[in-house]
Amino acid sequence: MALYKYGNNLDQSTHTNFDTERAPGFISPDSGIYRCVHCGDEIAANKGNPLPPQNHHQHSSGQPIRWKLLVCTVQKA
Ligand SMILES: [Zn+2]
């Protein structure tokens, strides 16, 4: 589970990008932290780069990795 210390630096969002499960290798639409919905493993990804591949980690159940956006970084333009 991701950790943070100062909640006043985080804003809640209802954007649908937080609801979509992404396959390994999918080109990340956002920079931020992604969490595997099956095991809770977390990674950091940069916008425009592929999410980690299927061999990033294995599930004993055999379920495929599915990445879901957990925290999205907001860059100033
Ligand atoms: Zn996993």
Side-chain angles (χ1 to χ4, degrees):
M1 183 145 319
L3 305 174
Y4 68 92
K5 186 168 184 179
Y6 300 108
N8 60 325
N9 290 326
L10 298 172
D11 281 329
Q12 189 167 28
S13 168
T14 58
H15 197 283
T16 56
N17 278 8
F18 288 94
D19 303 320
T20 307
E21 296 181 9
R22 312 285 187 185
F26 187 85
I27 301 301
S28 176
D30 301 287
S31 294
I33 299 171
Y34 284 78
R35 181 177 189 273
C36 176
V37 301
H38 296 302
C39 71
D41 193 18
E42 296 165 348
I43 57 96
N46 290 319
K47 180 178 182 176
N49 290 345
L51 294 171
Q54 181 58 46
N55 63 2
H56 178 264
H57 63 278
Q58 302 296 318
H59 301 132
S60 57
S61 61
Q63 291 171 303
I65 294 172
R66 286 291 176 266
W67 298 113
K68 198 169 177 182
L69 185 62
L70 180 66
V71 176
C72 178
T73 60
V74 178
Q75 289 186 288
K76 303 240 180 194

